[in-house]
């Protein structure tokens, strides 16, 4: 996308920690998300995987696991699930979300490169959308019209002269 520079707001970081085994953890524990803080947790083996985004992350693509975000994580845990504070950390990692400027995926075929198909920019939604996107990419590859019109998700929407409708926002 000419003229665009990714910032930490467009490529936010997610920091995660894993915990020791949790006795009596239900195997059907759903993924739980506190949308006010971005705290989330779910079962990961015998323990939990907890995480949240770091809104103070500086622009860039660092994936180190520095602990400056831990106080914010603990404050969110204390507010939403205080029992989690009793669990011992056993590991952690950091990752990047792949986001487009409008926070929607890129799906389509590049007009300037023959048969270059793309499906990217799903952030954390890729696993949820993969079955449908797989069918769309298959149809594009075979030259068939997909079951869903993905033209609004094409990379051309970011061209300097492209209209900016408020559709397809998630």
């Amino acid at each position: 996308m000419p003229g665009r520079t990714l910032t930490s707001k467009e490529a936010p970081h997610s920091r995660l920690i894993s915990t020791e085994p949790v006795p009596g953890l239900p195997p059907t524990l759903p993924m739980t998300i506190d949308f006010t803080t971005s705290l989330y947790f779910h079962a990961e083996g015998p323990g939990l995987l907890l995480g949240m985004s770091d809104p103070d992350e500086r622009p860039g693509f660092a994936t180190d696991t520095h602990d400056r975000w831990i106080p914010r994580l603990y404050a969110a845990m204390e507010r939403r699930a205080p029992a989690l504070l009793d669990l011992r950390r056993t590991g952690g990692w950091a990752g990047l979300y792949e986001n487009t400027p409008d926070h929607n995926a890129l799906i389509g075929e590049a007009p300037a490169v023959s048969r270059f198909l793309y499906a990217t920019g799903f952030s954390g939604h890729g696993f949820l959308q993969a079955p449908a996107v797989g069918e769309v990419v298959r149809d594009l590859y075979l030259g068939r019209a997909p079951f869903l019109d993905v033209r609004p998700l094409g990379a051309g929407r970011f061209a300097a002269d492209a209209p900016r409708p408020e559709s397809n926002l998630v």
Side-chain angles (χ1 to χ4, degrees), residues 2-17:
R4 286 289 301 182
T5 302
L6 291 178
T7 67
S8 62
K9 296 297 184 201
E10 294 164 348
H13 298 73
S14 180
R15 310 253 182 233
L16 303 145
I17 62 170

Side-chain angles (χ1 to χ4, degrees), residues 26-164:
T28 58
L29 179 75
M31 179 160 183
T32 304
I33 304 171
D34 175 11
F35 287 107
T36 61
T37 62
S38 81
L39 167 71
Y40 63 90
F41 60 89
H42 61 83
E44 179 73 18
L48 291 174
L49 191 66
L50 299 101
M52 65 188 293
S53 60
D54 183 357
D56 295 331
E57 188 68 43
R58 291 185 309 269
F61 297 92
T63 56
D64 54 335
T65 56
H66 56 76
D67 286 345
R68 111 182 117 80
W69 67 285
I70 294 293
R72 180 178 280 132
L73 173 71
Y74 285 175
M77 290 165 59
E78 184 173 36
R79 181 173 173 225
R80 290 293 179 200
L84 300 179
L85 292 169
D86 296 332
L87 300 175
R88 184 176 52 85
R89 280 194 286 166
T90 58
W93 59 273
L96 302 173
Y97 286 123
E98 54 173 342
N99 283 333
T100 60
D102 66 1
H103 300 284
N104 288 297
L106 291 166
I107 305 173
E109 183 170 354
V113 180
S114 177
R115 301 305 296 153
F116 181 83
L117 303 174
Y118 55 86
T120 188
F122 295 94
S123 178
H125 306 291
F127 283 113
L128 297 172
Q129 297 173 358
V133 172
E135 289 186 21
V136 166
V137 172
R138 174 208 60 207
D139 289 343
L140 291 173
Y141 175 78
L142 295 172
R144 301 190 309 214
F147 72 93
L148 179 68
D149 181 10
V150 293
R151 287 177 297 180
L153 297 173
R157 73 183 188 264
F158 298 113
D161 59 349
R164 301 282 190 251

